[in-house]
């Protein structure tokens, strides 16, 4: 039997990278900002994401060869330094996403098993670290193991989430609790929340870096993108409406990342918390798995484009899994999830994806003269990202100044490292001339 992944597995990988982040990692943050209009925040972010998905697919269609973010920038701008910086930024976003998933995995596992009473403050970091180690091991087993595991993980979590959503919606409707936020003054809060939640829509583009592992990628990948994003949006809307209807704003603020599990208690009692917490563990684990597998292949592609050191992507096994890359990404993820804050990690990842997805949409818009390119989706994607980015900055600066400072300093340090790496040859020549003059 072939180890290559078909449409169901491709959709599973895309959903695995999205659902875990949107529901269990950032739902509480988004709900605190947008309240009962949380569903609208997810719709806005989803529209920008699907426009970016169209842009990715279109750039592949009109280009001379297949590729993704780094390839597109290099091809359409002929600027290796810019392409490399986009690639590094995106890779850092993937690492931030995995750290975020691992953080939520740890929180739900600790709450489900009551480990904090036994281990104290080290419980969450320890469980998160063990999750990263476990999925690094799974990914090093190869594409077949990863694809099989991903199908099972996604099927389980979608069954639980949709089942809860339907039950919660029925309960809320029967008790007159459902609230879509249609009353009251219109505010910019849902749009701000859309920027914060954007990391929840990063999973689909991972497929573009798994081309060698997918059957008929020219057909399978576009289909998977256009299937996975609407499913994710619909799931977010359902869960967002029910959670913000069954919990008060004060309860959402109190429960934080486990708010969804707490929302199940009015419907199913303590059993509801257990079921949703278990689903959260499965979901965030699925997200780690999918993102790590695909990000490692993306890093390998960056070495092919000469924008990442060759020794990072060495040691590929017989199934095409970049062993050393998987291990390196796992180590960096481990550091972030153990020592970082959830707000800081989430903001870093959202910044990265807004910048890159907006850039890809802008590139696609420049190709609007081609018959295969409709200008509206790339335009919406580029303008949407351009609007969400400053709103995210404003929200963090006003409401989370420490997190904003952390994000700014981290991105500045990353920029300096990137620029130094890509301009190393020119800098070496300048240093040599200065030395000669001395």
């Amino acid at each position: 039997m072939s180890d290559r992944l078909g449409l169901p597995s491709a959709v599973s990988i895309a959903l695995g990278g999205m659902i875990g982040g949107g529901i269990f990692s950032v739902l509480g943050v988004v709900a605190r900002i947008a309240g009962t209009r949380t569903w609208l925040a997810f719709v806005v972010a989803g529209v920008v994401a699907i426009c970016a998905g169209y842009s990715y697919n279109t750039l592949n269609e009109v280009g001379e060869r297949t590729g993704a973010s780094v390839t597109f920038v290099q091809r359409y701008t002929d600027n290796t330094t810019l392409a490399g910086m986009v690639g590094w930024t995106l890779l850092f976003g993937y690492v931030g996403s995995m750290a975020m998933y691992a953080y939520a995995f740890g929180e739900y596992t600790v709450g489900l098993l009551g480990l904090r009473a036994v281990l104290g403050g080290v419980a969450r970091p320890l469980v998160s670290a063990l999750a990263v180690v476990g999925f690094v091991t799974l990914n090093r087993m190869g594409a077949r193991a990863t694809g099989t595991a991903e199908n099972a993980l996604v099927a389980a979590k979608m069954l639980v989430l949709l089942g809860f959503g339907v039950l919660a919606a029925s309960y809320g409707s029967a008790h007159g609790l459902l609230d879509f936020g249609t009353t009251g003054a219109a505010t910019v809060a849902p749009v701000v929340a859309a920027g914060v939640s954007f990391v929840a829509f990063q999973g689909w583009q991972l497929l573009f870096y798994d081309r060698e592992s997918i059957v008929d990628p020219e057909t399978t990948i576009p289909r998977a993108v256009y299937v996975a994003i609407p499913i994710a949006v619909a799931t977010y809307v359902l869960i967002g409406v029910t959670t913000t209807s069954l919990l008060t704003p004060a309860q959402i603020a109190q429960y934080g990342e486990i708010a969804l599990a707490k929302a199940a208690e009015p419907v199913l009692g303590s059993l509801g918390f257990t079921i949703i917490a278990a689903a959260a563990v499965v979901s965030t684990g699925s997200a780690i798995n999918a993102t790590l597998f695909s990000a490692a292949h993306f890093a390998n592609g960056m070495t092919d484009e000469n924008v990442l050191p060759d020794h990072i992507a060495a040691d590929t096994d017989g199934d095409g899994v970049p062993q050393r890359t998987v291990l390196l990404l796992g180590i960096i993820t481990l550091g972030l999830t153990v020592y970082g804050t959830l707000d800081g990690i989430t903001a870093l990842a959202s910044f990265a994806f807004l910048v890159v997805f907006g850039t890809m949409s802008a590139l696609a818009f420049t190709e609007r003269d081609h018959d295969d390119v409709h200008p509206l989706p790339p335009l919406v994607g580029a303008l949407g990202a351009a609007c969400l980015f400053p709103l995210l900055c404003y929200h963090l600066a006003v409401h989370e100044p420490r997190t904003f400072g952390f994000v700014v300093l981290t991105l500045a340090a990353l920029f300096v490292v990137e620029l130094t790496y890509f301009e190393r040859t020119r800098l070496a020549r300048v240093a040599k001339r200065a030395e000669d003059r001395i």
Side-chain angles (χ1 to χ4, degrees):
M1 182 177 295
S2 172
D3 287 342
R4 302 182 75 192
L5 308 176
L7 181 60
S9 293
V11 172
S12 294
I13 286 177
L15 284 174
M18 288 190 286
I19 296 293
I23 295 301
F24 300 110
S25 300
V26 303
L27 177 61
V29 178
V30 175
R32 285 197 297 269
I33 300 171
T36 52
R37 293 179 177 135
T38 292
W39 66 271
L40 181 57
F42 286 129
V43 170
V44 171
V47 168
V48 176
I50 202 164
C51 288
Y54 174 87
S55 299
Y56 270 75
N57 288 322
T58 297
L59 289 172
N60 265 324
E61 290 178 6
V62 303
E64 297 178 357
R65 60 191 179 97
T66 58
S69 306
V70 176
T71 305
F72 295 153
V73 175
Q74 201 159 20
R75 179 189 306 158
Y76 294 107
T77 68
D78 195 27
N79 189 322
T80 300
T81 297
L82 179 60
M85 293 178 71
V86 166
W88 280 41
T89 302
L90 191 53
L91 188 60
F92 192 80
Y94 295 148
V95 172
S97 298
M98 290 186 288
M100 181 184 69
Y101 302 146
Y103 197 110
F105 182 97
E107 286 287 357
Y108 274 100
T109 301
V110 168
L112 184 63
L113 302 179
L115 296 178
R116 188 165 279 109
V118 179
L119 300 174
V122 302
R124 199 286 305 166
L126 178 61
V127 173
S128 295
L130 291 175
V132 174
V133 171
F135 282 104
V136 165
T137 302
L138 176 61
N139 273 265
R140 285 169 67 92
M141 291 170 59
R144 177 61 179 175
T146 299
T148 302
E150 191 61 32
N151 284 337
L153 288 169
V154 172
K157 74 181 177 184
M158 291 300 294
L159 179 64
V160 172
L161 283 172
L162 294 177
F164 161 73
V166 171
L167 288 175
S170 299
Y171 176 90
S173 178
H175 291 79
L177 298 174
L178 288 185
D179 187 352
F180 292 86
T182 54
T183 59
T187 67
V188 75
V191 184
V192 174
V196 175
S197 72
F198 202 72
V199 64
F201 292 94
Q202 66 84 17
W204 56 267
Q205 91 290 348
L206 296 168
L207 297 173
F208 291 87
Y209 314 122
D210 295 341
R211 299 186 65 87
E212 295 181 358
S213 301
I214 296 175
V215 175
D216 188 18
E218 290 76 14
T219 301
T220 301
I221 291 177
R223 289 179 179 175
V225 169
Y226 297 137
V227 168
I229 295 178
I231 289 177
V233 172
T235 305
Y236 296 162
V237 168
L238 177 63
I239 300 302
V241 168
T242 54
T243 299
T244 56
S245 296
L246 299 181
L247 296 179
T248 66
Q251 288 175 318
I252 291 173
Q254 175 186 354
Y255 299 137
E257 54 271 357
I258 64 170
L260 177 55
K262 286 293 185 179
E265 289 184 342
V267 183
L268 299 170
S270 60
L271 178 62
F273 177 89
T274 301
I275 292 174
I276 296 302
V281 172
V282 173
S283 183
T284 51
S286 170
I288 299 169
N289 188 50
T291 309
L292 180 60
F293 174 74
S294 300
H297 284 275
F298 168 60
N300 263 16
M302 288 176 65
T303 63
D304 295 337
E305 300 287 345
N306 297 317
V307 294
L308 200 66
D310 292 339
H311 63 273
I312 289 180
D315 192 24
T316 301
D317 71 6
D319 291 320
V321 178
Q323 302 273 303
R324 187 176 298 171
T325 310
V326 166
L327 184 60
L328 179 60
L329 291 175
I331 291 172
I332 301 173
T333 301
L334 190 65
L336 275 178
T337 196
V338 169
Y339 296 106
T341 66
L342 184 58
D343 288 343
I345 294 168
T346 302
L348 279 173
S350 291
F351 274 128
F353 295 117
L354 279 171
V355 170
V356 175
F357 286 9
T359 300
M360 296 306 106
S361 295
L363 286 177
F365 184 71
T366 63
E367 301 299 314
R368 61 189 179 278
D369 291 338
H370 286 270
D371 293 337
D372 295 331
V373 180
H374 193 291
L376 183 59
L379 180 62
V380 172
L383 292 179
C387 292
L388 294 180
F389 184 83
L391 288 175
L392 175 56
C393 292
Y394 174 79
H395 169 75
L396 288 177
V398 173
H399 299 284
E400 300 283 349
R402 291 185 178 180
T403 298
F404 183 67
F406 168 76
V407 170
V408 170
L409 290 176
T410 302
L411 291 177
L414 180 63
F415 176 79
V416 171
V417 171
E418 290 174 343
L419 189 61
T420 301
Y421 176 78
F422 292 112
E423 296 295 324
R424 62 193 183 281
T425 302
R426 187 177 66 83
L427 292 174
R429 289 198 301 266
V430 171
K432 182 64 168 61
R433 287 196 298 266
E435 182 181 345
D436 291 341
R437 284 196 297 267
I438 295 174

